[in-house]
Amino acid sequence: MQEVTVAKVGEIKQGERKIVNVNGEIIAVFNIADKYYAIENVCPHQGGPVGEGELRDGDTVACPLHEWTFNIKTGASPEFPGIRVKTFPVKIEGGEVKVVID
């Protein structure tokens, strides 16, 4: 496992996200209620940039291509059971937001 610093604490504002490239993997890192979550920025439907979509209900993001939605905490789609985006653990250390990649 590898921990990669993707932002400083406070750099990603509440309700916002930052798209990062970590070892060739595009990841969307969200700040929701001052907790950080990370998901793969590729929709399993047709490869759209899911992490760049509209945030809904506080913890759901809608892919901008076809509106498929995913919970940013679990990666699960509330509309399509069994369909999900990959999630990554996030750690806060020394004022840095780190994504854990396996």
Side-chain angles (χ1 to χ4, degrees):
M1 288 195 308
Q2 178 184 19
E3 296 177 12
V4 179
T5 299
V6 295
K8 298 278 187 199
V9 170
E11 177 183 334
I12 305 169
K13 303 296 182 208
Q14 161 68 31
E16 297 293 323
R17 90 274 341 249
K18 179 179 181 181
I19 308 299
V20 296
N21 184 328
V22 178
N23 300 334
E25 191 144 20
I26 307 301
I27 298 172
V29 183
F30 293 86
N31 176 349
I32 304 298
D34 293 323
K35 289 190 152 204
Y36 295 88
Y37 302 92
I39 63 170
E40 182 179 30
N41 192 37
V42 179
C43 182
H45 176 227
Q46 289 191 340
V50 67
E52 297 173 27
E54 175 187 356
L55 278 172
R56 298 180 180 168
D57 303 323
D59 62 1
T60 302
V61 65
C63 181
L65 289 187
H66 299 106
E67 302 292 313
W68 283 35
T69 60
F70 298 90
N71 182 293
I72 64 166
K73 296 176 182 177
T74 66
S77 171
E79 303 158 309
F80 304 103
I83 303 292
R84 61 187 329 106
V85 292
K86 184 177 179 181
T87 60
F88 300 89
V90 178
K91 297 172 98 177
I92 305 301
E93 288 182 350
E96 296 181 328
V97 180
K98 298 181 179 192
V99 174
V100 180
I101 306 295
D102 49 18

